Amino acid sequence: MKKTVLSLTLAASILALGACSGADDKALVTSKVGDISVADFNEKAKSLTGPYVLQQMVTEKVLADKYEVTDKEFKEAYDTTASQFGDSFAQALAESGLTEQGFKDSLRVQLLQEKALKDQGIKEEDVKKHYEQMKTELNGRHILVADEKTANEAIEKIKGGASFADVAKEYSTDTGSAEKGGELGWFSVGMMVDEFNDAAYALELNTLSAPVQSSFGYHVIEITDKRDVKDVGSFKDEEENIRTAMLGKLNQTGEAQTILKDIIAKMAKDAKVKTSDKDLKQSLEFFTTTSDEQAKAAEEAAKKAAEDEDKAEDTDKESK
């Protein structure tokens, strides 16, 4: 657990590696086999991690212009990680090749990124939908199969008079619920995958769903009961918790990184971030390009390549 928490919290800490200060000709490291000067170190650091360091610095600049990490928020995040390592925290940092300041710098960037994701990566309408759904718990059952055709077969059997439970036992690949006739018991928003969740909350009681596709296969869903959830606060009271839960799901699915890259790329472009350093220019240009822009550029490049190939073939035919 400790190693996992460290790797997640310090995922960007390698980006904190930077140049050393001091006179360029001053020896940073001395040895019998030769010295390493400040200039040598800085040149190597730039070639190895320069683009990443620059990206972290740009990320912090553009995000800090819009969002703020309070001292309280930072201390809570720092203490949470440090407490999991206890007395071995300093050793864990050293073993990872990190300084305490490097860790703190990266942690602050991470907290800024989380704020940006909660604010820009999660749609307001999705938060409101989640809030409305959390007021109700559902009791339901389902049949999980591999393809849409089989799902429709199961639906036709039930509509033809077969019991849901019998069809679930015959068809469902969800071994956990199949033997119970597909029964899932009570569940609330966020407990199921999004496609299942939204279909279930949209259903009228005792009505079969059309086949619902998710990463697990195709579901046939029936909601048999509903009940109100007590002690749900106002939207204002619940909003931050909802955004945190939704951010957790984005991190689990891996979507967070893509969304975050696009957020930062757009903000950096709006801030007119540029560099005159030829070694870092290409990296910065890539960093400030959204995924949609990258996809469009790739499509145009592929189209041009195909056109060039066609022209080459025509020229070859003409020469013959």
Side-chain angles (χ1 to χ4, degrees), residues 159-179:
K159 289 183 175 179
S163 72
F164 192 104
D166 287 343
V167 176
K169 290 176 182 178
E170 179 184 357
Y171 280 84
S172 187
T173 59
D174 179 5
T175 55
S177 66
E179 289 305 311

Side-chain angles (χ1 to χ4, degrees), residues 9-226:
T9 307
L10 307 185
S13 288
I14 190 172
L15 310 187
L17 293 171
C20 286
S21 59
D24 285 352
D25 59 351
K26 181 181 178 181
L28 180 66
V29 175
T30 60
S31 76
K32 293 180 179 179
V33 294
D35 298 345
I36 300 174
S37 70
V38 170
D40 292 336
F41 177 85
N42 288 342
E43 183 179 351
K44 183 64 70 174
K46 178 182 174 183
S47 65
L48 289 176
T49 65
Y52 302 104
V53 174
L54 183 65
Q55 288 174 13
Q56 173 160 308
M57 294 178 74
V58 169
T59 295
E60 184 171 12
K61 281 281 187 185
V62 297
L63 293 183
D65 185 60
K66 183 176 176 63
Y67 304 103
E68 178 187 4
V69 175
T70 66
D71 292 342
K72 180 182 178 182
E73 290 170 334
F74 181 83
K75 186 176 185 304
E76 287 178 353
Y78 180 90
D79 289 347
T80 295
T81 302
S83 65
Q84 294 184 21
F85 290 87
D87 294 338
S88 64
F89 185 47
Q91 180 182 345
L93 291 177
E95 288 175 352
S96 300
L98 302 167
T99 65
E100 183 179 15
Q101 188 57 51
F103 165 70
K104 288 181 176 180
D105 290 344
S106 292
L107 178 60
R108 187 172 297 279
V109 173
Q110 179 182 319
L111 294 174
L112 286 168
Q113 290 172 332
E114 288 179 359
K115 286 178 178 287
L117 274 169
K118 285 182 182 180
D119 180 39
Q120 300 184 53
I122 298 171
K123 296 178 181 177
E124 184 75 12
E125 56 264 35
D126 290 337
V127 178
K128 290 180 177 178
K129 180 177 71 174
H130 185 108
Y131 175 71
E132 292 303 319
Q133 291 177 346
M134 69 186 290
K135 297 177 182 179
T136 307
E137 284 184 326
L138 307 178
N139 195 322
R141 51 191 181 180
H142 84 139
I143 299 167
L144 176 64
V145 294
D147 55 72
E148 188 174 11
K149 180 182 178 182
T150 307
N152 282 318
E153 285 180 11
I155 291 171
E156 290 304 313
K157 277 204 170 188
I158 297 170
K159 289 183 175 179
S163 72
F164 192 104
D166 287 343
V167 176
K169 290 176 182 178
E170 179 184 357
Y171 280 84
S172 187
T173 59
D174 179 5
T175 55
S177 66
E179 289 305 311
K180 297 183 290 185
E183 294 291 341
L184 297 168
W186 289 98
F187 61 91
S188 56
V189 60
M191 293 178 63
M192 305 296 183
V193 293
D194 290 344
E195 300 88 350
F196 186 106
N197 179 88
D198 291 344
Y201 271 93
L203 277 175
E204 297 292 334
L205 283 178
N206 303 311
T207 302
L208 291 178
S209 72
V212 177
Q213 185 179 12
S214 78
S215 58
F216 295 100
Y218 286 80
H219 308 261
V220 178
I221 308 168
E222 184 179 29
I223 301 303
T224 56
D225 201 0
K226 299 181 181 182

Side-chain angles (χ1 to χ4, degrees), residues 58 62 263-274 287-288:
V58 169
V62 297
I263 290 172
I264 296 172
K266 185 177 184 306
M267 293 179 71
K269 189 170 294 185
D270 291 344
K272 300 187 184 305
V273 175
K274 296 178 182 178
F287 186 62
T288 56

Side-chain angles (χ1 to χ4, degrees), residues 251-264:
N251 283 322
Q252 285 180 345
T253 61
E255 296 175 80
Q257 288 305 310
T258 300
I259 295 171
L260 181 62
K261 183 190 182 310
D262 286 348
I263 290 172
I264 296 172

